[in-house]
Amino acid sequence: MANTETSLKEAASIDGAIGAALVDYTSGMALGTIGGGKELDLNVAAAANTDVVRAKVRAMEMLGLNDEIEDILITLGQHYHLIRLLKGRGTNGLFLYLALDKSRANLAMARHQLKKIEAELEV
């Protein structure tokens, strides 16, 4: 099992990674971040993506969809923004956020690696 710091370092090592964060979507606060900088303020991204997660959860409830969100992908001109909701013990209300440079990233591989990181993460 990996801790938050180790998991974020693994996420940052994914090809094309700009930054990563572990976020509590009940509060919108980042519990840990790595990368980002001038290109991307991860604390702002954590709060903003909390709204995305909440909106999708609300939409699923309104539609009566009895399912779970694996991940949410936002595709921009130059970036991929990947949000992976955590399902392990003690991770309710948390998500991993990964921003990728579209020109250097392999989206399928990034999703696979983020799923593996999620499985090993212990909060």
Side-chain angles (χ1 to χ4, degrees):
M1 289 293 166
N3 64 20
T4 300
E5 183 180 348
T6 301
S7 295
L8 289 174
K9 285 180 181 176
E10 286 181 37
S13 73
I14 294 173
D15 286 344
I18 297 168
L22 177 65
V23 183
D24 175 353
Y25 69 81
T26 59
S27 69
M29 300 297 293
L31 303 178
T33 63
I34 190 167
K38 290 181 184 178
E39 187 174 0
L40 178 68
D41 184 328
L42 289 169
N43 289 307
V44 172
N49 284 305
T50 292
D51 291 338
V52 171
V53 171
R54 289 177 184 164
K56 188 58 190 173
V57 168
R58 214 173 22 255
M60 288 178 60
E61 288 171 357
M62 289 173 24
L63 293 168
L65 299 177
N66 188 19
D67 208 345
E68 294 180 341
I69 300 169
E70 286 184 13
D71 54 38
I72 298 169
L73 171 65
I74 301 167
T75 306
L76 303 176
Q78 296 179 11
H79 298 146
Y80 294 123
H81 292 248
L82 190 55
I83 300 166
R84 176 130 191 123
L85 276 70
L86 305 185
K87 296 174 188 68
R89 182 176 54 89
T91 61
N92 192 30
L94 301 179
F95 67 86
L96 280 168
Y97 166 69
L98 178 65
L100 299 160
D101 179 321
K102 202 172 179 181
S103 68
R104 297 183 297 121
N106 177 324
L107 181 57
M109 186 57 73
R111 289 185 68 219
H112 174 74
Q113 289 173 296
L114 206 56
K115 183 178 180 177
K116 182 177 176 238
I117 291 166
E118 173 204 358
E120 296 171 357
L121 176 61
E122 187 170 299
V123 180

